[in-house]
Amino acid sequence: MPITVTFTEGVVPTESHRKVVKEITDTFLEKHGLEGNTVMTPNVTAQLHVQPKNETFSGGEPIEGAWVEIKSPSFALADREVQKTFFAEVTEIVHKHSGGKLPKKHIWTNSLHTVDGTWNMDGIAMTNEELGEAISKG
């Protein structure tokens, strides 16, 4: 489940970047009951992007912000309560690591679901059913 975290330069101190990624990853696994799952844990990956202040926008105007996007199979982040609690916690994680300086209204999140059968693990494109079977072994 690739997680993409993007910050405007300076909104989260560099020394906190790894903590943000780790806490978001741990929260994703926890919300899906997969803490310690040996199959899923290494397959929740992340990329962190830090953009210069003049390259992040809201309404076409420069803004300092944070963006978190999750790509997952359609069964992940499908439950409304999981969606609400996960993204609330993600927002809180980023806000906390900004030292409380980044307003929560400047932290945007979203999720994209992949087409069934296109999720690749260990070089194999898996259906949701095949992915579920693999996860159950971990």
Side-chain angles (χ1 to χ4, degrees), residues 63-74:
I63 194 167
E64 292 184 355
W67 296 260
V68 178
E69 179 174 273
I70 311 289
K71 294 178 186 82
S72 67
S74 61

Side-chain angles (χ1 to χ4, degrees), residues 61-118:
E61 299 297 325
I63 194 167
E64 292 184 355
W67 296 260
V68 178
E69 179 174 273
I70 311 289
K71 294 178 186 82
S72 67
S74 61
F75 58 81
L77 293 169
D79 179 87
R80 183 67 184 134
E81 281 308 306
V82 170
Q83 293 167 350
K84 287 168 45 177
T85 59
F86 174 71
F87 286 114
E89 288 183 33
V90 165
T91 300
E92 194 57 44
I93 289 165
V94 174
H95 180 69
K96 172 184 75 174
H97 284 288
S98 78
K101 295 178 183 173
L102 183 62
K104 291 181 182 179
K105 69 180 183 176
H106 290 183
I107 302 168
W108 292 275
T109 64
N110 72 303
S111 175
L112 302 171
H113 283 142
T114 61
V115 175
D116 189 25
T118 64

Side-chain angles (χ1 to χ4, degrees), residues 1 32 34 37 39-40 73-76 116-117 119 121 124-138:
M1 318 291 147
H32 290 89
L34 295 170
N37 184 284
V39 173
M40 267 326 302
S74 61
F75 58 81
D116 189 25
W119 197 262
M121 270 187 4
I124 301 166
M126 296 183 173
T127 64
N128 287 346
E129 183 178 335
E130 292 166 330
L131 186 56
E133 289 172 15
I135 291 168
S136 71
K137 295 174 184 171

Side-chain angles (χ1 to χ4, degrees), residues 21-87:
V21 170
K22 177 71 169 136
E23 289 178 28
I24 291 171
T25 299
D26 290 349
T27 300
F28 180 86
L29 290 165
E30 183 262 324
K31 293 298 174 198
H32 290 89
L34 295 170
E35 311 97 310
N37 184 284
T38 59
V39 173
M40 267 326 302
T41 299
N43 283 292
V44 178
T45 62
Q47 297 177 23
L48 177 74
H49 303 275
V50 180
Q51 297 295 117
K53 289 187 181 199
N54 63 344
E55 293 186 9
T56 57
F57 304 87
S58 173
E61 299 297 325
I63 194 167
E64 292 184 355
W67 296 260
V68 178
E69 179 174 273
I70 311 289
K71 294 178 186 82
S72 67
S74 61
F75 58 81
L77 293 169
D79 179 87
R80 183 67 184 134
E81 281 308 306
V82 170
Q83 293 167 350
K84 287 168 45 177
T85 59
F86 174 71
F87 286 114

